[in-house]
Amino acid sequence: GAVVSQHPSWVICKSGTSVKIECRSLDFQATTMFWYRQFPKQSLMLMATSNEGSKATYEQGVEKDKFLINHASLTLSTLTVTSAHPEDSSFYICSARDFGVAGKLETQYFGPGTRLLVL
Amino acid sequence: GEDVEQSLFLSVREGDSSVINCTYTDSSSTYLYWYKQEPGAGLQLLTYIFSNMDMKQDQRLTVLLNKKDKHLSLRIADTQTGDSAIYFCADLTGGGNKLTFGTGTQLKVEL
């Protein structure tokens, strides 16, 4: 099946620094990728939709200047948490949409997640 | 907006069947999915069902969809300890652009 990777898998940083998280589709091209945030014992919250070659679409309440998204190629999207603060500590998960070929279900495949801890 | 609800916790004995339930509100849903999340990991797609189907079986997994009641269920036959995880239902909404996830059901399988 389709594989999506994320890097790093976990990161600890100081308050005020910026952190970049990469999301890659390894064996398919993804014109659309999604970034989610998950708090402990809670569901996934969609933060933004990342479109290759254009600006990301952010969900209501998500600060686009704080969570910078760049989808520069069909296999890579990055999420940069700028000036991170302890309240940004969370589990960030990306997914990549595989449209596949005719007759194949369009499906989102998820990365393994990145755990961010801001001290 | 779309609202997807699940019961929070389910405990079963190994070998028994597990049934995880999900309700949703968007009547224009096209596909509904079940994902599995193990501790500290991302989501693994288990199965899906198209909205014009009532049932889909895939090995130990059976998905039932009652579109009239907007109710989706996942039955796991012969539940094993390796099935212990959090299970999320998800609904493809927003014109087919977004997945809306349920609250997640933690399944615990006891010996």
Side-chain angles (χ1 to χ4, degrees):
Chain A
V3 179
V4 176
S5 70
Q6 276 184 248
H7 178 78
S9 55
W10 60 270
V11 57
I12 302 173
C13 69
K14 291 183 178 180
S15 186
T17 60
S18 294
V19 175
K20 181 187 282 189
I21 303 170
E22 292 185 349
C23 178
R24 293 182 184 272
S25 56
L26 297 185
D27 50 3
F28 66 100
Q29 294 183 329
T31 55
T32 304
M33 292 184 175
F34 302 86
W35 286 97
Y36 296 85
R37 185 173 179 178
Q38 186 181 32
F39 291 102
K41 299 190 186 301
Q42 293 190 25
S43 189
L44 279 73
M45 181 190 78
L46 179 64
M47 297 174 65
T49 302
S50 170
N51 301 296
E52 187 267 336
S54 65
K55 291 183 180 180
T57 305
Y58 290 82
E59 294 300 299
Q60 192 172 7
V62 178
E63 298 176 59
K64 60 181 179 182
D65 294 331
K66 180 164 185 64
F67 298 100
L68 300 179
I69 291 172
N70 184 14
H71 193 156
S73 78
L74 288 172
T75 58
L76 174 63
S77 175
T78 60
L79 169 69
T80 301
V81 183
T82 62
S83 187
H85 287 95
E87 57 266 30
D88 298 324
S89 299
S90 191
F91 193 51
Y92 292 87
I93 304 176
C94 74
S95 71
R97 185 159 70 186
D98 181 8
F99 283 100
V101 297
K104 181 183 172 185
L105 172 70
E106 171 202 319
T107 303
Q108 283 189 35
Y109 293 95
F110 285 80
T114 296
R115 190 163 301 281
L116 171 63
L117 176 61
V118 184
L119 301 177
Chain B
E2 166 73 327
D3 193 22
V4 183
E5 298 284 340
Q6 297 176 239
S7 51
L8 291 179
F9 189 78
L10 175 65
S11 178
V12 300
R13 290 187 184 276
E14 188 177 38
D16 289 349
S17 293
S18 308
V19 179
I20 302 171
N21 294 301
C22 172
T23 59
Y24 60 98
T25 57
D26 191 336
S27 58
S28 64
S29 301
T30 52
Y31 287 97
L32 296 113
Y33 302 80
W34 283 103
Y35 285 88
K36 176 184 180 182
Q37 185 180 34
E38 299 191 37
L43 273 68
Q44 173 194 355
L45 176 65
L46 288 178
T47 188
Y48 66 92
I49 189 167
F50 188 47
S51 60
N52 69 351
M53 298 169 64
D54 298 323
M55 185 183 84
K56 179 180 179 182
Q57 187 154 1
D58 185 358
Q59 299 182 337
R60 292 192 297 126
L61 305 178
T62 302
V63 179
L64 294 178
L65 175 60
N66 183 328
K67 197 171 181 181
K68 174 177 170 288
D69 294 339
K70 299 188 184 69
H71 182 267
L72 180 75
S73 68
L74 174 68
R75 178 177 180 270
I76 305 173
D78 187 25
T79 312
Q80 303 297 308
T81 54
D83 295 325
S84 293
I86 300 176
Y87 290 80
F88 291 96
C89 62
D91 180 13
L92 193 62
T93 57
N97 290 322
K98 297 181 188 178
L99 278 179
T100 300
F101 284 86
T103 45
T105 299
Q106 174 138 22
L107 173 64
K108 182 178 179 182
V109 182
E110 298 173 326
L111 296 172

